[in-house]
Amino acid sequence: MSTATDARLLTRRLCVDEDEFDALAEPWGRLHRACRAATPFQSHAWLSSWWRSYGRPGRLRVLLVRDGDRLVAAAPLMRVHRPLPALKPLGGAISDFADVLVDDSVREAGTEALVAGLGELAATALIDFGEVRPGACLEGVHARWRGPRRALADSACLELPGLPMEELLQRLPAPRAQRTRAKLRKLAKLGVESRIVPPDEVEASVRTLLHLHQLQWSGRKVTSEHLRPRFREHLLRAMRPMVTAGEAVVTEFRLDGEVVAADLTLLSGTLAGGYLYGAHPRLRERKVDVAAMLLDACTRHTGGEQRRALSLLRGNEPYKHHWRPEPVANRRFLLARGRTRPLLAAAAWDASARRWAKERLRERAARREGGGPSSE
């Protein structure tokens, strides 16, 4: 519940040093837990590790808001120069959600302090937050912004309610639910066993997951970033502290004593997100429904006393629709001051042009699939 703390009593400071940012793990962790809207992608371990792998020296800009010695709000940003001078959230393209953090106990004052601090930064650069989930703290910043602002559509995500597997199956047509139950029984009959990996084994398990992920997508189109050393280093660095803090869970699946699949699910107070998995091609050969196996494991972290929505994260892959998820649209918030208004206009125009181009490509692809002409 928000208190009556006056924003004028809060102090603001800009952190530009990565060692100082690394040292914020404990107070940042308290803030992350005190912010109900926070997602796993705002955890300190995720952001600081991402910066070590992807950041550029001299560009870190983390706005910190304190009530005395207590960190009560933060905006993790970095300076970019192309295509426009802007401040963008840490986490980049490998993070499905971006946001600021505000302690729920001082929500109004913390948000106002962020608006004031970001307003100063927006005098020389556009504030550009993409992939903002509905209900995020940044919505409050946008609502209070005193200057040019825009809210644009961003990526679509798919989401399931925080229900046990059996209740998710009850949402499906009866024949499909019966087939899925049969596939889950087949897992037990084959002897597939799952276990949650303890923190001291996480690094080895993440290496196995990445190896299985590479095997799984061999010869097929894959997100190339997931195969790069910097992504590997990021996961290896971030996962142990996140697992220790309850912000992630790694699950291994064994068959005949061998790890044949592994799943990484990221956790926050209200959200569980299936982030990355790897499965040996042998499972397909034995006609194992890997998607059902993984979803069954994820639902163990969504029910109980702490209900979490199960996000299938970004992407509109056909297999996700098997479970009748609800579409959840991320948004992109652009915030400027008078001097940076032209940057906002340019960014909005570019976003509109990109959407138009994507729509034309989809239309052409649909015509080709339907046997129609392939050009205008």
Side-chain angles (χ1 to χ4, degrees), residues 69-80:
D69 293 332
R70 183 166 65 109
L71 185 65
V72 295
L77 299 164
M78 62 181 178
R79 180 80 183 219
V80 301

Side-chain angles (χ1 to χ4, degrees), residues 360-376:
R360 300 293 83 74
L361 287 173
R362 281 195 294 267
E363 289 173 2
R364 288 170 181 158
R367 284 199 296 271
R368 285 195 295 269
E369 290 174 4
S374 60
S375 60
E376 299 280 352

